Amino acid sequence: MKTLENKVFEGCASLHTVKIGTELEKLGQQVFSKCSALKQITIDTNNNVYSTVNNVIFNKNQTKLIYYPIALPEKQYIIPSSVTTIGKEAFIESKFV
């Protein structure tokens, strides 16, 4: 699958883990919106477009933070120094907003 369409998993309360392979090229908006149990996201290190660090989705070179999962337990998050851009909806449902 090359694209995950907008809101494709919206409201999947039983979604705990997501593993994304090398083929994903486009992540739509709010793909994991209202996924209240999603705590673990991994992206294959050979994916040319996306990466993850501690379950947070970034672009490949980690200059753009794309998505912070709603169910992560942290009360604060330190944005890596490599990040120059934060996606419009990266923290839309997080405890930080």
Side-chain angles (χ1 to χ4, degrees):
M1 182 178 316
K2 291 185 179 227
T3 301
L4 286 177
E5 298 294 337
N6 296 348
K7 300 183 179 185
V8 69
F9 293 111
E10 181 178 36
C12 288
S14 61
L15 183 64
H16 297 273
T17 302
V18 171
K19 292 182 180 181
I20 297 172
T22 58
E23 63 283 349
L24 185 70
E25 296 175 356
K26 183 172 189 270
L27 194 60
Q29 295 180 344
Q30 298 181 9
V31 170
F32 304 112
S33 176
K34 301 176 186 167
C35 293
S36 58
L38 181 58
K39 290 184 179 179
Q40 185 176 16
I41 301 173
T42 55
I43 297 177
D44 191 296
T45 56
N46 292 317
N47 184 293
N48 292 324
V49 181
Y50 299 103
S51 64
T52 50
V53 176
N54 298 324
N55 304 300
V56 178
I57 300 177
F58 296 88
N59 64 341
K60 182 65 176 183
N61 59 3
Q62 298 174 3
T63 57
K64 182 176 184 179
L65 192 155
I66 296 169
Y67 179 71
Y68 182 92
I70 184 176
L72 291 182
E74 289 83 0
K75 301 228 185 280
Q76 67 177 0
Y77 177 70
I78 298 172
I79 296 169
S81 60
S82 62
V83 173
T84 58
T85 305
I86 296 174
K88 181 174 134 181
E89 299 173 340
F91 293 100
I92 196 165
E93 297 172 326
S94 73
K95 300 171 198 127
F96 311 126
V97 176

